[in-house]
Amino acid sequence: MSLYTDIVFPTAVRRQFTYSLPDEFKEDIEVGKRVWVPLQKHKKIGVVVNIHDESPEFNTRPVQQVLDEKPIISEELLKLTEWIHHFYYCGWGEVIQAALPVGLNFYAQKYLKARESELPNFLNDDEAEIRKEIQQSESYLLAEAQKRWGDKILDKLVGQKVLEVWEQPAMKMDPSTDKLWQWKGKESRKKAKRIVEEHEEVGKNYKWVRALKVLLDLELPEFQKELTDFEMLEYYTLNRIAEEGLLTYDEVETTNLSIKLEYDPSQLNTLNEGQQAAFKEIKKSINKESFGSYLLYGITGSGKTEVYIHALKKVLEQGKGGLVLVPEIGLTPQIVKRFHLIFGDDIAVLHSRLTDRERYDAWRALQKGEKRIAIGARSAVFAPVQNLGLIVVDEEHDMSYKQEDPAPRYNGRDVAIMRAHINDVPVVMGSATPSMVSLYGTKKGKSEYLELKKRPFEAKLPDVTLLDLKQYQSAMKGPIAIPLFEAIKEAVERDEQAILLYNRRGFASYLQCATCGEIPECPNCSVSLTFHKSKKQLRCHYCGYSERQPRRCKKCGKNTVESRGSGTQQLEEQIAELFPDAETLRMDFDTTSGKNAHSKILKAFGRKEADILVGTQIVGKGLDFPDVTVVGVIDADTELAFPSFRSGERMYQLLSQVAGRSGRADKEGKVFFQTWQSDHPAIQKAKEHDYKSFARQELAYRKMLQYPPYSRIIRFVFKGEQEGRVRRVAETYTECLTEVLGSFDSVLGPSPAAIAKMQNFYRWESFIKINPSNGASAIEQMLDRTFDLFDDRKPKGASSVRINVNVDALE
Ligand code: ADP
Ligand code: ZN
């Protein structure tokens, strides 16, 4: 009996490729292993997703080699990736690639091998020589061969089937190391002290001496990675001090040393009554060892994390493991600390700062069962926790759970729910501001609603002051109203700190009337219109509605309509001018693109190197500074200008995060929202800390307009370098969608995207709203039919236009 294997590759191609299986591999082959197979002129790495004896109608080529001794992915995870492949309409291999770390995925280096053992007679001397060398070395790194002989001759030899290209799984096995700095010898520390004192006496101000002073406050030895978090301690300053003979370092492997947190399981708190009640419900599923979905609602500080910890502990006692998803680990170091305190080395932390090697090691440790709990951001949903017993999704509403680009465009929270189904284990989702989708799910019986009603310590929620910008127009100090200015001034004088938030996405610009605050909206979609400056036009990026740039405000008739864009930097400058005696720090997209930039800025602020932190909404997440007593949101309502039906929900989430935070510290906090729309329900409800009544209104609005959770939105983005082609493809494809869906109402677009051109690619988009009861296979069939239809009608040049499908798009 002949055997065949179905293989996937890490591309957007959604089909599987069938290869025949030579007898010699019948023992070794297994689903989830990597194999070498011929594909065009290459030998490619593929992953086996199926083994069968159905002979296909076409001729098959044989598998060349089985690459793994054990499957790189377990059956349950393979099933999960398959579901994503169907549900999010992307390549199966693409999902596997995203799910696994380098070393266990398709990531490969290319090698050249000589094909036949006999020397072909059509080669000239040079070519024969190249072939000989490559044959002798068995395999030759392609990049090196290209450097040595050039692409042209190699391409020719590959074309003539003299040479062929093979992929080798890449494994970056170099351990990661870091310099561990310490004082050189016994006397250095004293000597350093003396130097600092001497310099201070004579008023000298060398940078390395100032750095020395910082070092004296720290405990050495310490890793360079940690030291350079201090502004004064650049690596060259450390070297300078070493030159003085005061410091020295060892190069140390960091792989197993990355966590140096406190471990003391006796510090587990006893749950209070409310927590007990919630835990009791979750325990039902844990005891039954079966699926159960829970939405745990409670304001920040109400003790949700404590409930997760107790549930995890229960699961570990059953001899099982747990998976904890958090939004962005760089922003939430406290939560890792809390888990580490109780579970110690049982934890594998998967964050974006890990090197390939560290990620691979963490993966292996989980696979082998050496670590039983994985904590990480979105892609940790694929962590190979053994004998999984529980999944926790903290801050389930967070946008960062959704991967937007590139594919697979999955939502980590929803994948977590599916994983819980596949593994038949409970999933607990927690939030202070549950997403409308999850909240609606509790009403539909998809998950159970649990609530923590009060904070364990009766910390008071801060009073929120709304500053109506319409009223304060003549009482502003630059960008801030006088009451906020006064509060910051007082805080700085008392040596306390302030945070100013600039709620701005900074890419779509829009118009706003400077007199009344009116922002033009689409008459069809109730989302704000995007301002296209070059065309002097306002456009709806959902339905394509457009109008000319108005000269006068439609509401108040004044000619004070201004365009709004981004500008955190400008804000920081203005603030610095207003408070000349205060130090300011800025945190936004520009300042946080570096690898550790986030935590660097936050740590510096935590050490009180600055009095005022100015930043975009990323500042609003997961921060807890005891000395921050004033938090101001400069423009609480800009979120509403963002062209999305979710803007009210987002604004509420952000504002309530801000309002919740400030009350955590022992000092009483003041919160200010500057707004043009002080009567907007999201702002009012955030001020009153009233999530439930906000959610009621928001759900009613969604229902009326059939937005999620009352529908499911799929977004199609068409991208290409020639605008005409992009538009034609968008139009034709959207026609096909309309035909397949059969009802015009649910298809919106096509229209230029909010950012109509990005990196020289024109972007158009369309949306569809479909019934939320549609599952993976219904969505897949619908899209398959659309693509089939589109294939028949493709306009000219369609192949140069990419079509991205984004199921459950968040934007
Ligand atoms: P959330 O996750 O909802 O923001 P946390 O679980 O972090 O809330 O709890 C807030 C604070 O209250 C933490 O410092 C935590 O240690 C403390 N805490 C929570 N539950 C208890 C409890 N049952 N007993 C004592 N302290 C608690
Ligand atoms: Zn519209």
Side-chain angles (χ1 to χ4, degrees):
M1 185 181 65
S2 309
L3 275 189
Y4 299 89
T5 67
D6 298 334
I7 309 285
V8 295
F9 302 104
T11 67
V13 176
R14 299 191 70 257
R15 52 177 278 249
Q16 295 154 31
F17 294 76
T18 305
Y19 289 86
S20 60
L21 194 69
D23 283 344
E24 55 182 307
F25 298 134
K26 279 186 181 160
E27 292 279 300
D28 285 345
I29 198 85
E30 252 183 289
V31 166
K33 282 186 178 178
R34 288 173 296 186
V35 290
W36 259 329
V37 289
L39 187 74
Q40 287 145 6
K41 284 177 193 146
H42 291 260
K43 290 289 183 293
K44 285 273 183 193
I45 297 173
V47 169
V48 178
V49 295
N50 194 13
I51 302 168
H52 57 89
D53 56 13
E54 268 170 64
S55 155
E57 281 158 27
F58 46 89
N59 277 337
T60 52
R61 299 167 79 183
V63 168
Q64 301 276 320
Q65 199 170 318
V66 178
L67 292 172
D68 295 302
E69 268 171 37
K70 285 192 184 143
I72 48 167
I73 183 165
S74 65
E75 227 167 293
E76 52 158 302
L77 281 175
L78 197 65
K79 217 163 148 185
L80 188 66
T81 57
E82 185 183 11
W83 177 78
I84 293 173
H85 152 67
H86 291 303
F87 189 83
Y88 292 101
Y89 207 75
C90 52
W92 192 349
E94 234 170 4
V95 188
I96 295 174
Q97 178 76 344
L100 299 178
V102 170
L104 291 177
N105 60 16
F106 300 87
Y107 190 73
Q109 278 183 314
K110 292 194 171 84
Y111 289 85
L112 280 174
K113 289 190 185 197
R115 261 171 97 117
E116 280 152 58
S117 48
E118 248 171 72
L119 183 69
N121 53 16
F122 50 80
L123 298 184
N124 64 32
D125 288 353
D126 283 350
E127 292 165 349
E129 185 58 34
I130 294 174
R131 178 186 169 278
K132 198 173 128 204
E133 272 208 47
I134 287 175
Q135 191 178 33
Q136 277 169 354
S137 65
E138 225 160 279
S139 65
Y140 206 103
L141 203 58
L142 178 64
E144 272 172 29
Q146 282 167 335
K147 253 190 254 161
R148 190 161 160 203
W149 294 298
D151 290 356
K152 209 170 148 203
I153 193 161
L154 294 175
D155 283 350
K156 184 176 163 209
L157 290 172
V158 170
Q160 289 171 330
K161 301 195 172 173
V162 175
L163 300 178
E164 66 185 335
V165 179
W166 290 67
E167 289 184 341
Q168 199 84 265
M171 183 60 252
K172 296 182 179 158
M173 284 311 265
D174 307 334
S176 20
T177 62
D178 193 19
K179 297 189 166 84
L180 187 66
W181 287 91
Q182 56 190 343
W183 297 110
K184 189 172 182 178
K186 276 187 217 140
E187 296 300 312
S188 291
R189 201 166 180 281
K190 272 190 210 149
K191 204 171 143 199
K193 248 190 186 149
R194 257 198 334 267
I195 292 174
V196 169
E197 282 163 14
E198 280 167 20
H199 278 250
E200 277 178 352
E201 262 168 40
V202 295
K204 277 192 200 164
N205 194 20
Y206 292 131
K207 184 165 181 205
W208 72 269
V209 180
R210 276 183 286 151
L212 206 52
K213 196 173 169 194
V214 176
L215 274 175
L216 283 167
D217 285 338
L218 300 173
E219 230 172 88
L220 298 187
E222 181 57 279
F223 284 104
Q224 179 161 309
K225 194 155 95 179
E226 301 294 324
L227 291 177
T228 49
D229 273 351
F230 291 84
E231 210 178 315
M232 286 304 302
L233 303 179
E234 310 274 4
Y235 76 95
Y236 54 82
T237 322
L238 295 170
N239 285 333
R240 174 78 180 79
I241 297 171
E243 275 171 27
E244 295 290 327
L246 296 168
L247 277 184
T248 176
Y249 67 80
D250 291 314
E251 199 77 43
V252 176
E253 261 193 52
T254 54
T255 316
N256 300 315
L257 300 170
S258 40
I259 301 184
K260 292 184 302 179
L261 302 171
E262 194 191 348
Y263 171 54
D264 181 6
S266 70
Q267 288 195 38
L268 186 71
N269 289 311
T270 315
L271 295 181
N272 65 29
E273 224 172 290
Q275 289 168 321
Q276 277 293 353
F279 181 42
K280 202 174 138 202
E281 290 305 309
I282 298 166
K283 239 183 344 196
K284 284 182 188 161
S285 291
I286 295 178
N287 288 336
K288 273 193 287 183
E289 304 189 38
S290 65
F291 177 81
S293 173
Y294 302 90
L295 178 66
L296 180 60
Y297 161 66
I299 56 169
T300 314
S302 60
K304 298 184 292 295
T305 309
E306 209 64 40
V307 174
Y308 309 150
I309 289 175
H310 279 258
L312 272 173
K313 190 159 173 280
K314 182 87 196 154
V315 165
L316 290 197
E317 283 163 11
Q318 291 178 330
K320 297 184 163 188
L323 173 60
V324 181
L325 297 184
V326 294
E328 278 156 86
I329 213 141
L331 297 174
T332 48
Q334 309 95 310
I335 192 162
V336 175
K337 263 189 216 161
R338 292 270 296 282
F339 282 101
H340 194 271
L341 185 68
I342 308 300
F343 302 113
D345 283 341
D346 252 327
I347 292 182
V349 183
L350 299 162
H351 57 77
S352 56
R353 282 172 65 184
L354 296 182
T355 61
D356 286 343
R357 164 73 194 219
E358 287 167 333
R359 188 179 310 276
Y360 178 87
D361 285 347
W363 213 261
R364 278 298 195 204
L366 287 164
Q367 257 176 351
K368 288 189 223 144
E370 291 166 6
K371 292 185 185 285
R372 294 189 291 169
I373 300 172
I375 299 186
R378 181 175 62 219
S379 67
V381 73
F382 301 109
V385 175
Q386 295 302 293
N387 198 2
L388 186 66
L390 173 73
I391 304 178
V392 171
V393 185
D394 192 29
E395 311 277 358
E396 64 79 27
H397 65 274
D398 198 277
M399 269 173 66
S400 73
Y401 282 125
K402 180 71 161 77
Q403 162 128 342
E404 295 290 345
D405 265 314
R409 300 180 176 82
Y410 64 98
N411 186 318
R413 174 201 59 211
D414 298 333
V415 173
I417 297 172
M418 185 43 72
R419 183 161 181 191
H421 266 296
I422 291 173
N423 287 73
D424 205 16
V425 301
V427 53
V428 179
M429 298 173 277
S431 176
T433 52
S435 63
M436 292 304 121
V437 174
S438 298
L439 185 67
Y440 186 65
T442 65
K443 296 187 195 301
K444 288 270 154 186
K446 284 191 182 162
S447 58
E448 194 178 326
Y449 177 80
L450 304 171
E451 181 175 342
L452 299 180
K453 291 212 167 77
K454 41 180 188 190
R455 290 175 162 173
F457 310 107
E458 291 295 329
K460 204 169 122 262
L461 285 165
D463 277 332
V464 179
T465 309
L466 294 186
L467 300 171
D468 190 323
L469 292 171
K470 290 195 291 270
Q471 286 168 20
Y472 278 95
Q473 272 194 55
S474 53
M476 299 291 286
K477 287 264 187 189
I480 52 179
I482 282 178
L484 178 54
F485 172 81
E486 295 292 343
I488 297 174
K489 204 169 135 223
E490 281 166 28
V492 172
E493 278 165 10
R494 283 194 307 263
D495 198 27
E496 294 166 354
Q497 292 173 297
I499 295 180
L500 282 178
L501 245 94
Y502 202 35
N503 177 24
R504 186 141 297 179
R505 291 175 186 281
F507 49 83
S509 59
Y510 60 96
L511 296 180
Q512 185 172 34
C513 171
T515 307
C516 72
E518 171 76 359
I519 296 170
E521 266 191 10
C522 173
N524 311 323
C525 305
S526 321
V527 299
S528 64
L529 292 168
T530 302
F531 178 45
H532 292 257
K533 201 172 177 180
S534 56
K535 295 193 174 141
K536 294 191 162 59
Q537 211 178 39
L538 285 170
R539 261 186 178 278
C540 170
H541 97 131
Y542 278 3
C543 72
Y545 167 86
S546 75
E547 61 182 52
R548 279 180 55 87
Q549 172 182 6
R551 269 202 258 129
R552 290 175 181 285
C553 172
K554 274 191 192 153
K555 197 167 161 206
C556 72
K558 298 245 166 57
N559 61 349
T560 48
V561 181
E562 294 173 358
S563 81
R564 304 248 190 255
S566 61
T568 338
Q569 197 179 346
Q570 195 192 351
L571 178 65
E572 189 201 4
E573 283 163 14
Q574 288 170 320
I575 297 297
E577 266 171 44
L578 286 175
F579 304 98
D581 297 331
E583 284 288 327
T584 62
L585 257 180
R586 174 162 63 99
M587 178 156 153
D588 59 14
F589 203 70
D590 297 330
T591 57
T592 54
S593 46
K595 221 181 170 192
N596 314 338
H598 266 139
S599 63
K600 248 186 174 169
I601 296 172
L602 295 179
K603 276 189 198 168
F605 190 63
R607 284 192 306 266
K608 299 193 75 172
E609 284 178 20
D611 308 292
I612 306 172
L613 177 64
V614 176
T616 53
Q617 57 268 43
I618 48 176
V619 172
K621 277 187 190 170
L623 311 182
D624 196 3
F625 300 107
D627 283 327
V628 171
T629 53
V630 177
V631 181
V633 182
I634 298 289
D635 45 1
D637 46 24
T638 16
E639 190 71 42
L640 298 177
F642 191 75
S644 162
F645 66 88
R646 278 183 228 266
S647 53
E649 179 180 7
R650 293 230 177 96
M651 187 168 75
Y652 184 87
Q653 286 164 358
L654 173 77
L655 296 181
S656 85
Q657 236 171 16
V658 172
R661 167 132 314 102
S662 184
R664 262 186 148 174
D666 42 358
K667 292 174 192 151
E668 210 169 302
K670 285 186 185 159
V671 174
F672 296 87
F673 297 162
Q674 296 194 154
T675 170
W676 289 100
Q677 309 182 47
S678 53
D679 52 354
H680 191 282
I683 291 183
Q684 284 291 337
K685 301 302 173 196
K687 171 181 155 55
E688 292 155 18
H689 309 283
D690 189 355
Y691 168 75
K692 281 188 195 164
S693 112
F694 166 74
R696 216 174 302 126
Q697 286 184 5
E698 184 65 18
L699 279 174
Y701 152 78
R702 299 280 180 92
K703 187 168 186 188
M704 193 170 70
L705 293 167
Q706 286 296 299
Y707 282 132
Y710 299 93
S711 68
R712 167 158 262 153
I713 284 194
I714 304 178
R715 174 198 195 195
F716 301 85
V717 180
F718 309 91
K719 281 190 228 176
E721 286 178 289
Q722 277 162 299
E723 191 171 19
R725 286 182 181 176
V726 175
R727 194 195 42 162
R728 278 193 297 277
V729 167
E731 282 165 1
T732 310
Y733 188 90
T734 309
E735 266 167 41
C736 298
L737 272 174
T738 309
E739 263 180 61
V740 169
L741 261 76
S743 110
F744 187 76
D745 269 351
S746 50
V747 181
L748 305 170
S751 79
I755 327 164
K757 192 178 176 191
M758 208 165 141
Q759 293 160 338
N760 285 323
F761 277 75
Y762 289 91
R763 294 151 38 103
W764 278 60
E765 59 190 9
S766 291
F767 294 84
I768 59 174
K769 289 192 220 166
I770 56 176
N771 192 312
S773 61
N774 281 304
S777 69
I779 292 175
E780 190 171 35
Q781 278 171 27
M782 186 271 295
L783 291 171
D784 278 346
R785 291 221 310 275
T786 307
F787 275 99
D788 283 348
L789 202 59
F790 177 72
D791 266 344
D792 295 340
R793 300 186 191 169
K794 257 188 210 166
K796 233 178 101 199
S799 60
S800 67
V801 179
R802 261 181 286 162
I803 304 176
N804 290 339
V805 179
N806 189 342
V807 177
D808 289 345
L810 276 192
E811 296 298 352

